[in-house]
Structures are given as structure tokens and as C-alpha cells.
Amino acid sequence: MRVEAKLLLGLGLFFGLMCAVYWNWSLENAGGVMMFAAMLLGFLPGGYYYFWSRRMRARPEDDPNATAAQGAGVVGTFPGTSIWPFTLGMGAFFTVLALVFGIWLLIPGLGLVGWAAIGGVSESRRGGRV
Amino acid sequence: MTDLLERPAAAEHPEPAEQHGPTGLLKWLTTTDHKVIGLSYTITSVMMLVIGGALAELIRAQLTSPNNTLVSFAQYNELFTMHGSVMIYLFAGPFAFGGLANIIVPIQIGAPDMAFPRLNALSYWLYLTGSITMLLGFFTAGGAANFGWVAYAPLSNSLNTPGAGADLWIGGLLLTGFSAIFTGVNLVATIFYLRAPGMTMFRMPIFTWNLLVTAILILLAFPVLTAGLIMLYADRHFGTHIFSVAGGGVPVLWQHIFWFWGHPEVYILALPFFGMATEIFATFSKKPVFGYKGMVFATITIAALSLGVWAHHMFTTGVVLLPFFSIMSLLIAVPTGIKIFNWIGTMWRGQLWFSTAMLMAIGFLVTFLIGGLTGIYLASPPLDFFTHDTYFVVAHFHSVVMALVLAGMGGLYYWGPKVTGYMLNERIGKAQFWFLFIGTQVFTLPMYALGLDGMPRRMAVYPHDPQWKALNDVASLGALLIGLSTVLFVVNLVVSWKKYPAGDNPWDAQTLEWFTTSPPPHHNFYRLPAIRSERPTWDYNHPEHRALGHGTREESH
Ligand code: HEM
Ligand SMILES: [Cu+2]
């Protein structure tokens, strides 16, 4: 986790310095704000990873001498197949088309989004289907 | 079915886990397998390349004579807007980080899938529907969007550009923008959390490193664009005045927001293709990547600097801090130079194998060098004042993007066998390379000359001048050659269809994706080798030539 944390913290630091130079020199706010936000995107997750990297043992993927057996075991839960991403995508599609062709398209749009939200969540709870 | 996935230990050969899933259309709609999603991305984005290319051929046909009436002025505006938009938003990015990255990154680091497979599937559906949304503009009464691919205010407001085409353009980009953000989240999480034992950060292949950095750039840049698009839509329909002087807004603010996304986007497009070229150079030189850590460092530096250069696209507005943006832009040349040096170093004294993929990568290197060098001119404000909005700029960025097309084609020839299990025909591939490479130079070089002579971009007609007509005709000939290269690619797909079985590692390549079968099984690996360097497959296949640490040269036998 060390390298990951340092990468993000380093980027945050660089953006912070760049932001300070730019904002003070140009006095232009839009770019200054956006650079400041970029700095936060480096520091927030970077700080979180740094915090944890000091408290946990090196994972097998961080250990240069790890054997494949060391990583054996459950990696994670992976869904097999699922219809809900497609449903959600279609909902988003209709929602965006509502911006152009008329507000009535929000009915199928948000309807599908809601259906997919419920379906997707309960699928994860049950442990999946299909 | 949810799989509680166990990672296989080294020596085991478990039975291939038969997948009892749906087939056909239902499989496509419900899959969460990163390989299937990545392949859908690849196919869709190559279709976008063909659509964008067809629009480009129409542009070039119109410009073959000064007062051509092939298309009207209004149609020409739609053509260049949609050509640029399709190529940038719908082809180049999705091809790289949605297509090849999606397929290859998890396999390169020994992961069973992307970290969030259902989110990955959602990314694809948002990309597909976003592309359809944008292209729907052609079927509306007012035609497709026509304000250029950058949609500058105040041209993009509801008075100057009324109509559904522009709104569909905005809506399409909202969808593809979220798609990109989700892919970014997925790539970062996958690379941080799903690496195989022993695959430390500094053993990841350069392609994976570049995609990690690309994904971080996506997370930094795309939300800004999405926010900007919402503001633009509000200005057009909800009566806000964020970008209009009339109500106290600031038109240049749009340019700041757009380019704060837009310049990082250039590297979001480029870095994955740099990664493809790096892998190809190493494999076909039979050497490790030269200067591995320098390469990683250069990638990170390019990405970091790319957030501080956006206003080099705005030099002529007169309201940006010229020295800051000029210095930052010129600085990017340093890490880019390191990369070019390291690519040459990787090939230096290697056993070169000039396969189609290798030729494409070399073509990339040459073409990108031309684009990169002319970019240095444009980073200098006095020179940019002279060339801004001329064909010099069009030529510059086409050298760059055509270099990416070359690298991307190389990537397809290189990894295609891994994904499908079958090779493409090398002779047709080489013919395709020469058409594409020569066509690119014949197409871009005259445009540099036209630009220096003052020909403005985005014009359907130009003054009668025999020299300008001649240069434009040469450029159009180049475009034709490029078009023919694409035809050859399609021919190759048909001719080679399931003809030449590939085997697991047809190129004697070095990285982990070549360890598994072609195509890889569900969840990618039956077994994993010990990972002791950045080229585990090579170490396994050539125990007598084990890795000697980063960048050391193998003694040949
Ligand atoms: C067959 C290959 C290609 C040809 C013949 C071609 C041709 C052209 C031409 C002639 C223009 C200028 C139109 C004008 O200013 O009036 C143009 C603009 C542009 N092209 Fe290409 N192009 C090709 C490939 C690409 C690729 C691969 C990309 C990106 C990945 C791309 C991105 C753009 C962009 C962003 C613009 C600017 C559009 C605007 O002014 O709003 N092109 N192209
Ligand atoms: Cu730029």
C-alpha cells in the first residue's frame, strides 16, 4: 500500500504547489479552484491509504518474494451475470433523452433507474442470480 | 451466480470451470466479464473510428477544390464538429481505456476480473447509449451539433445554436463522461487491490502503469467537463447566464473549464497508446523495457504537468497568464523526451522482429515525434499567435492522433491473438501499415505548409490559389490512403477469420497476460507463475535468462 499512497500524496503535493504559484501569480479564480480540488483528490485518498499502510502488514501483492500459494484463498465476490447494469444504462439513456425530446421520457427513464437500483441491490444481498 | 473466487495456487491445474451462463444476445446484455465488455468496447469504438473517418473523407473531398459545392456551409460545420467529436469522445478514449485496457490490465496483473464488474458493464452501456445520443443529431431537423468539438461560448448558447443537435451532443457527453469516470474508478481499484502475489507496483507492466495514471487523470479531469456541460445546458434552457456577458457571466469561463478537462484529455488519450507501444517494443526486441523506472516516472510527470497547461489553448484570448502556461507546456517536452529515448533504448541492440505490430509501433514513434516537435512551437505564445486556428494546428494534432491510431492498430495486432485465440494475416497487416503510415504523412505534411501560409481551419471554401489547391489535393490523397488502410484492416478481419490459431504466447512475450491461454478462461488463470520481476512469463519460459533487475540487458547465447 506504501507505493500507492505515496503516488497519490506526491500528486497532491505537486498540484498544491502548482496551485499556490498559479493562483498568486495570475489571480484567476477558475483555474485556481480547479487546481485546489485536484490537490484534494490527491490528498484525501492518498492520506487514507497512507494511514492504513502504516497499520497493516504487507499484502502478498506488496511482497517481492510472495509465492502464489500465499495469495490462495478467497479473492473476492464476483457477480456471474447480471441484467441490472443494462437496465440502469437504459434508464440513464431515457433520462438524458428527456433533456432533448420532452419531459415525459423521464417516466421510463427514472422508472428504469429505480427498478435497476432495487434489483441490483437485492441481487447483491441474495448473492446473485442467472 | 455469484462466484466466491479462489485464487489458484501455482502447481494446480484445476478443471476448466465450465460456465453455465446465458448465450447469444442475453449473454451480451448480462455479461460482467471484463473480456467480453472490453471486446464490446473495442468493436464499438472501431465502428466509431470508421464513422469518424467517413466524415473526414467527406471533409477532404469538399476541400479538393476552392469553391466546391459538395456540401453546404452548414453541412460542413456539422461535418467537422461531428468528425472531431466522434474521434475524440467516442473513438480514441473508449478504444484505449474501455477496450484494450479493460481486457488486458486485469490479465497483466493476475486479477480474475475488474474490481467492480457490474459497474464495468454499466460503463459500457453508458458509452454505447451516449454515442447513439450524440449521433442521433444527424437525424433531427436542424442537423447535428455544429459549434466545433469545443462548443465555445457564446457560439454554443441557445440563440446562436438553437436546436436538438446541440442538446443531443451535450446529453451524449454527459453519458460518456460518467462512463469514463466509472472506468477510471474501476481501473484504480483493480490495480490497487487485485494484483497477484509478488506483483508489486514496480513489477507491473508499463501498459498497466500508464493506465493507472490515465485513470487518475480521468478522475481529475472528467468531473470538470461534466459540470461544465450541466452549466452549458442550464444557460441554454434554464435562463442562467454563467457564460453570457448579458447576465453578468463570463464566456471565457467555458474555455477554462473545457480546457481544464481538454488538455489532460490529450494525455488520457495518449498515455494508453504510449503503453501499447512500450509493450510492443519490448516484446519484438526480445529485451526488457529500457529504463523501466524512468518510464514510470516520465508517465507520472507528464500527467502531473498536464493539469497545469490548459490555457495554452487560450493564448489568443488575451486574458491568460502567458509565461506560466508557456513554461509548463515546454516542461512536458522533458518527460516526453525521456520516453522517446527509452523506446529507442529498448530497441537498441535487440533482436528486432518486424511484425505488423512492431511496424505500427515504429510508425507511431516517428509520427508522434513530428507531432510532438511541432507542439513545442505552439507552446510559444508568439508563434501560436501566428498559427492559432490555422491548418498548422490541424496538422500538429493530426500527427499526434494519427500516431495514436498507428499504436492502436499495433495493439490490435499484438493482443488480438490473446483475446480471440487467432492471429491476423501478417502480409495484409504489413500492407495496411504502409498505407496508414505513408497516408498519414502525405495527409499531414501539406497541412503544415498550408497553415504557415495562413489557411484558416473550419472553412468549407478557400481563395483561388493554385498552390493552395495543390497542397489540399495532396492532403486529400493522403486521407484516401488512410481510408484504404482501414479497408485493408476489415479485409484482414474477414480473411483471417478463425484461420490461424495463436497458441498461448505466439510472440514469446514477457508479461503475465501471455502466461494464460488464448483466449483466457473465465476469471483468466488456471495457474500463476512465481512473479519475481516485471516479466514473469519470460522468467518462466527462459529460466536460463532470468530477469537481471530493471533495464539490464540480457546476455545473448
Ligand atoms: C482519416 C483520418 C483523418 C482525416 C482525413 C482527418 C481530417 C480532418 C480535417 C481535414 C480536419 C479539419 C476540418 C476543418 O478545420 O475544416 C479535421 C479536424 C479534426 N480532427 Fe481529423 N482527420 C482524421 C483523423 C482524426 C483522428 C483519428 C482524430 C482524433 C482521434 C481526429 C480529430 C480531429 C479533431 C478534434 C478536429 C477538429 C474539429 C474542429 O475543428 O472542431 N481526426 N480532421
Ligand atoms: Cu493542450
Side-chain angles (χ1 to χ4, degrees), chain A residues 15-41:
Chain A
F15 295 145
L17 287 174
M18 203 161 65
C19 174
V21 172
Y22 175 75
W23 212 338
N24 283 302
W25 190 1
S26 71
L27 303 178
E28 184 273 308
N29 289 329
V33 170
M34 290 187 285
M35 280 181 167
F36 189 80
M39 175 190 78
L40 291 183
L41 201 133

Side-chain angles (χ1 to χ4, degrees), chain B residues 49 52-57 59-60 63 76-77 79-88 91-93 147-150 269 391 394 397-398 401-402 404-405 443 447 455-460 475-476 478-480 482-483 486:
Chain B
L49 174 67
L55 298 174
E57 299 296 335
I59 295 177
R60 285 298 350 158
L63 295 176
Y76 190 83
N77 292 348
L79 279 182
F80 71 71
T81 300
M82 291 303 281
H83 160 68
S85 302
V86 168
M87 286 297 198
I88 298 277
F91 157 65
F147 40 40
W149 77 285
V150 296
L269 300 185
Y391 261 86
V394 177
F397 68 69
H398 279 85
V401 294
M402 292 312 297
L404 304 187
V405 172
F443 157 58
M447 296 201 297
M455 176 161 168
R457 67 192 278 200
R458 297 179 175 160
M459 302 292 274
S476 296
L480 189 65
I482 297 172
T486 314

